[in-house]
Amino acid sequence: MSKFKKKANTSQEIPTSALPDIIFMLLFFFMVTTVLRETTINVEQKIPDATELRKLQRKSLVSYIYVGKPTTKLQAQFGTEPLIQVNDAFKPVDALQNWVMEERAKLDENEKDQLTVALKVDKEAKMGLINDVQIALREADARKLMYTTIQEIQD
């Protein structure tokens, strides 16, 4: 007689009682770590189309300036003229130099010269305001400038 006996009723089932716990842990993990949108855009924008586009390598080095009319709920307070919005506040052209310095202060020392300013400008905005923004950025030594557009779809 042998020392080892064979078990007649062995089950090959996989236990699934822990699966709901694992799914909820993954769900909470992705809910906590996902960044949706950091800035609330308070200006209306109709972005112009473009044909020659280039994708950014590091979006963490990009700071956005939004130019356009205030949204309809803010027009009673600010009027209908195009405004400049950075982060979550409207700023005059004079304050853009200080804003560039604040944005550079957020970056590491070796990345400060790589700051890119992206302009999201409404189609209907006047070029005089855009020119003033460009001059203020030039005076702040923010020379990497990018205009955000929508790629034109070719049929």
Side-chain angles (χ1 to χ4, degrees), residues 46-54 64 118-121 146-152:
K46 296 176 198 154
I47 306 293
D49 297 333
T51 56
E52 300 295 323
L53 299 177
R54 197 171 54 176
Y64 291 91
L119 285 172
K120 274 190 147 182
V121 181
M146 172 180 75
Y147 288 95
T148 306
T149 63
I150 298 173
Q151 187 171 10
E152 188 177 276

Side-chain angles (χ1 to χ4, degrees), residues 14-122:
I14 299 173
T16 59
S17 61
L19 283 178
D21 294 337
I22 294 170
I23 290 171
F24 281 114
M25 284 188 343
L26 286 172
L27 177 69
F28 287 131
F29 171 76
F30 287 116
M31 285 174 53
V32 169
T33 58
T34 302
V35 177
L36 296 176
R37 177 174 274 176
E38 296 174 2
T39 306
T40 304
I41 301 173
N42 292 323
V43 293
E44 295 176 0
Q45 295 179 326
K46 296 176 198 154
I47 306 293
D49 297 333
T51 56
E52 300 295 323
L53 299 177
R54 197 171 54 176
K55 192 167 184 165
L56 288 174
Q57 297 300 323
R58 293 189 55 201
K59 290 186 179 182
S60 63
L61 298 175
V62 178
S63 296
Y64 291 91
I65 296 177
Y66 305 97
V67 179
K69 292 188 313 186
T71 57
T72 52
K73 64 181 179 178
L74 295 175
Q75 283 182 358
Q77 183 179 2
F78 294 105
T80 58
E81 288 298 315
L83 295 175
I84 302 167
Q85 178 188 347
V86 292
N87 299 337
D88 278 332
F90 293 119
K91 300 235 183 215
V93 176
D94 310 357
L96 289 179
Q97 291 180 10
N98 291 335
W99 174 76
V100 169
M101 290 190 306
E102 291 170 5
E103 292 295 311
R104 278 199 181 123
K106 294 178 189 176
L107 299 175
D108 291 336
E109 191 65 35
N110 58 347
E111 296 175 337
K112 289 187 181 199
D113 60 335
Q114 297 175 5
L115 175 70
T116 302
V117 177
L119 285 172
K120 274 190 147 182
V121 181
D122 184 35

Side-chain angles (χ1 to χ4, degrees), residues 134-150:
Q134 289 175 344
I135 290 171
L137 292 173
R138 202 173 304 140
E139 289 172 357
D141 200 29
R143 303 208 183 260
K144 287 188 177 182
L145 188 62
M146 172 180 75
Y147 288 95
T148 306
T149 63
I150 298 173

